[in-house]
Amino acid sequence: MSAAQSQPVAPIRTLDKNGNAINTVGFERFGFDCEVSLDILRSLYLRPHYVITAPQDEKLEEEEKVHAKFTGPYGEYQSKSIFHPDIQSISYTTLSRFPPVKLLAPSKRKRILVTGGAGFVGSHLVDRLMILGHEVTVLDNFFTGSKTTVSHWVGHPNFEMVRHDVVEPFMIECDQIYHLACPASPPHYQFNAVKTVKTSFMGTLNMLGLAKRTKARFLITSTSEVYGDPEVHPQHEDYWGHVNPIGPRACYDEGKRVAETLTYGFHRQDGVDVRVARIFNTYGPRMNPFDGRVVSNFIVQALRGEDMTVYGDGKQTRSFQYIHDLIDGLIALMNSNETRPVNLGNGDEFTIGEFAELVREIVEKVQTEDGTPLARRVNIVYKPMPTDDPQKRRPDTTRAKQTLDWQPRWTVRMGLEEMVRYYKAKMIEGSL
């Protein structure tokens, strides 16, 4: 046993808005228990692969201490991969033991299908549902998703991963369907606009047909983009939106709008039990650092010591919610009786300029704490605004608070620090 294992290492502590420690995420609501330990989740997404640098010299003890900070007492449930910096190669291993999952009675264990389950949001949802003890099938074509986000569950008796494009029909028996499959960042959904619209329409049509046949409850993750560049602020669910139907973002905006239309068509015509979540800007570990989103752009630029790019004058506003709050909201909505659209987002609003300064401050804090401060402070530079980029975006979450008893627990600062540490660890490993 190494010194790092024999001496306890202080784990990361997170405090909520009231100064109380957050030890769990989720809750028991609507007869569905989704509460799990935050440490177990962190051991999956902050250190999905326990990477040790070869050769294993005197650095090993220090590296194990760094890993213990993220994994806590759950390091034994992780693959211990070896990184060879001299040849820029990594040797992966399979898990010797899976993370612990709840043992549910068959009457409580649900068969859950998650489309887009290898993506950013989907993988966190899969982690939560697996730890809760349910049977989970992931459907993904890996256009933007990655096998590595859920690879720690491959081989588990409750888990199945299928490479499949939802524009083609898929047959399975299930109790709940979380339909997340669709590229969600501008570079990805604009890469093939026709395919994006096809995924939104045909993919949703196929999954609704499956829900109709199996009598499964169906939840679609829609988006705040259905409101376009809003003339109402903050945006409530009854606002119809202000969308350019022929602009470069229309393939995604109008694709999600028609997906909602299709969802309520099946609900009214065929009695399908549906839920619609309109997701506002969300961030967290496993976000693709190159997908053009403002949070990942700022963090990666600041960590690399590059100037941070703000598009426009920085006065446009956004609200950001942390991934754990979103997963809480999705599970609460799925198991509630609310069939109307529900906004899921954080009401704390920032200008993009203010947000850039906050990211720079947190990156500097983490680098100073870890003893790796940059030689110079990164600057914030301004560039022209992209076409149809909305000026204001903030959710009115009154409906979620009233019908789901849900509201965000994580402040932007708390989530950013965890995400900075995630990207920083990825850079050290050589995988970013």
Side-chain angles (χ1 to χ4, degrees), residues 84-140:
H84 300 268
D86 52 334
I87 56 174
Q88 280 293 301
S89 300
I90 189 165
S91 169
Y92 289 110
T93 64
T94 56
L95 287 171
S96 56
R97 185 176 293 276
F98 291 104
V101 302
K102 281 188 181 178
L103 194 57
L104 296 178
S107 60
K108 294 201 172 213
R109 188 168 61 243
K110 295 188 181 296
R111 299 165 301 176
I112 302 174
L113 174 66
V114 182
T115 71
F120 161 48
V121 174
S123 63
H124 285 278
L125 177 63
V126 167
D127 281 348
R128 184 82 67 91
L129 295 173
M130 282 296 297
I131 291 170
L132 292 170
H134 300 285
E135 295 178 12
V136 179
T137 300
V138 167
L139 220 59
D140 208 296

Side-chain angles (χ1 to χ4, degrees), residues 305-321:
E306 301 170 356
D307 290 338
M308 300 165 68
T309 306
V310 173
Y311 294 98
D313 59 7
K315 298 288 197 305
Q316 67 270 38
T317 66
R318 293 291 183 275
S319 58
F320 302 93
Q321 73 175 330

